[in-house]
Amino acid sequence: AQKVTQAQTEISVVEKEDVTLDCVYETRDTTYYLFWYKQPPSGELVFLIRRNSFDEQNEISGRYSWNFQKSTSSFNFTITASQVVDSAVYFCALIFSGGYNKLIFGAGTRLAVHP
Amino acid sequence: GAGVSQTPSNKVTEKGKYVELRCDPISGHTALYWYRQSLGQGPEFLIYFQGTGAADDSGLPNDRFFAVRPEGSVSTLKIQRTERGDSAVYLCASSPDRLQETQYFGPGTRLLVL
């Protein structure tokens, strides 16, 4: 079965703190893609990153970084020096090669960054 | 360029009524998807179009739900005999014509069935 688990339902931090959002996935496929999306209060899902299963290099984009570890089936997302504008629900998602283009989403983690 | 657009942004209807939700994908994107997001949950896949044809409709919950994309661009999600449990945000996404490509989402249509 294909599944994405985001165990953290809600996280609350104070501005400038670093925060890591966890994502654990399950798939039997060897070829798959992992994604992170941000859903701010406005409701629109905003694409953040796409990573394929053959590329385990970590990635950094500004204050955002992603740690992909196949050994633990995890694709964690870290925000460094969080800001109030980072407040949103963050979703981790999976596409597996046998599933056409169907995105399988986790339940999301609600991040609240307080001034 | 313009992103995915969806109309209406909000729809309130009564139980038993018929509704249509419209999605206009990013220009040039041949793949189009519908998802449904209930409160506090992640989006759930409904249907995927490649061009005019539904390549995967395995997520449609029952035969009250139907979607079309007659000219390979705009898509309409149709719900017959609406039920209160159909209340949710319906999200549309589009992507270029390659497998496992990034999907770009529209703002959604919030459907409330009274």
Side-chain angles (χ1 to χ4, degrees), chain B residues 42-93:
Chain B
E44 292 180 316
F45 171 81
L46 295 176
I47 187 170
Y48 153 51
F49 285 92
Q50 186 58 259
T52 60
D56 182 0
D57 64 358
S58 62
L60 294 177
N62 51 60
D63 60 7
R64 295 187 297 106
F65 288 75
F66 189 70
V68 296
R69 195 186 184 200
E71 297 177 357
S73 179
V74 170
S75 176
T76 305
L77 178 65
K78 308 180 181 194
I79 311 175
Q80 299 177 324
R81 304 182 304 279
T82 52
E83 299 177 356
R84 292 195 180 89
D86 298 335
S87 297
V89 176
Y90 289 81
L91 296 166
C92 178

Side-chain angles (χ1 to χ4, degrees), chain A residues 37 39 50 95 101 103, chain B residues 33 35 37 100 102-103 105:
Chain A
Y37 284 86
Q39 189 172 45
R50 169 179 176 263
I95 287 179
N101 282 356
L103 270 169
Chain B
Y33 317 80
Y35 292 82
Q37 186 176 22
Q100 290 96 34
T102 298
Q103 297 177 26
F105 284 80

Side-chain angles (χ1 to χ4, degrees), chain A residues 21-34:
Chain A
L21 310 181
D22 297 334
C23 172
V24 173
Y25 62 92
E26 293 177 34
T27 178
R28 291 187 183 143
D29 284 38
T30 56
T31 302
Y32 52 89
Y33 289 78
L34 296 164

Side-chain angles (χ1 to χ4, degrees), chain A residues 6-62:
Chain A
Q6 295 180 256
Q8 304 150 309
T9 306
E10 292 190 31
I11 300 176
S12 182
V13 299
V14 176
E15 213 170 14
K16 298 184 184 175
E17 281 186 34
D18 298 348
V19 58
T20 295
L21 310 181
D22 297 334
C23 172
V24 173
Y25 62 92
E26 293 177 34
T27 178
R28 291 187 183 143
D29 284 38
T30 56
T31 302
Y32 52 89
Y33 289 78
L34 296 164
F35 299 79
W36 276 94
Y37 284 86
K38 174 182 180 180
Q39 189 172 45
S42 61
E44 189 160 344
L45 280 164
V46 177
F47 165 73
L48 296 178
I49 189 170
R50 169 179 176 263
R51 176 52 53 87
N52 75 58
S53 54
F54 299 107
D55 181 4
E56 284 194 75
Q57 280 195 353
N58 292 332
E59 181 155 341
I60 298 175
S61 176

